[in-house]
Amino acid sequence: RKGVGKLLHLMHWSRPDVLNPVRDLSRDMQVASKATMTGMHTAMNFIIATKDLGLKLSPRQELDENRGFKFRIEEDSNSDYANDISNRQSIIGYEIFLEGAPVAVKSAQQTMTTLSSAEGKLVSGTSCAQEMLFVMRIL
């Protein structure tokens, strides 16, 4: 549990690139198997080997004090198709950028079973658009 907890902390604050492996590892926190331990060590070794990677918060432009300033919100979303063999649900993921700096990252299992990869990508894009509207309304 301690190892997965450390990975969750890293994932949340500086390493969103390990969202999927950590999400899979956190499913087995109650009863860890040998495969879970191997996966945790693999994830930790990856983080150590790529310690120069991580979030980079560098906006493209400075905030202008005039009323005409417009923020630029961008996204990157994707989905796999029925990757979980136990329930055939897809994994969605997206990242939202405000002026080039990441402000929201998500990787989760879909709550429904989609019938095609295109439908899975539509669900991922819709979730991302909802989060983008939330970010826009905060501004």
Side-chain angles (χ1 to χ4, degrees):
R1 282 192 206 187
K2 289 181 182 180
V4 173
K6 290 175 184 178
L7 288 171
L8 284 167
H9 180 78
L10 277 170
M11 173 197 73
H12 184 72
W13 293 107
S14 66
R15 295 297 299 263
D17 55 332
V18 295
L19 279 168
N20 282 332
V22 174
R23 182 186 44 76
D24 288 340
L25 287 171
S26 64
R27 288 183 183 174
D28 301 326
M29 283 184 63
Q30 295 298 326
V31 181
S33 65
K34 186 169 181 133
T36 304
M37 293 298 289
T38 303
M40 183 183 68
H41 289 294
T42 302
M44 287 183 173
N45 288 336
F46 172 77
I47 288 172
I48 291 168
T50 58
K51 61 185 172 199
D52 296 333
L53 297 179
L55 288 178
K56 182 179 179 187
L57 302 175
S58 57
R60 289 194 187 111
Q61 60 182 339
E62 296 290 324
L63 177 63
D64 191 1
E65 295 298 323
N66 67 17
R67 306 275 292 165
F69 184 80
K70 293 185 179 180
F71 287 99
R72 185 177 185 151
I73 301 173
E74 299 169 327
E75 59 84 26
D76 181 24
S77 65
N78 208 341
S79 169
D80 69 350
Y81 176 61
N83 193 29
D84 191 349
I85 58 173
S86 65
N87 58 12
R88 305 301 295 165
Q89 289 181 336
S90 301
I91 306 297
I92 63 167
Y94 60 79
E95 192 169 15
I96 298 174
F97 302 93
L98 179 63
E99 291 299 331
V103 293
V105 179
K106 182 176 183 177
S107 173
Q109 189 170 33
Q110 289 180 351
T111 56
M112 67 201 82
T113 303
T114 54
L115 300 177
S116 67
S117 61
E119 188 179 1
K121 290 181 188 301
L122 178 67
V123 170
S124 177
T126 303
S127 297
C128 184
Q130 290 171 339
E131 187 75 20
M132 287 176 75
L133 287 171
F134 175 74
V135 170
M136 183 185 74
R137 287 186 182 127
I138 289 177
L139 299 174

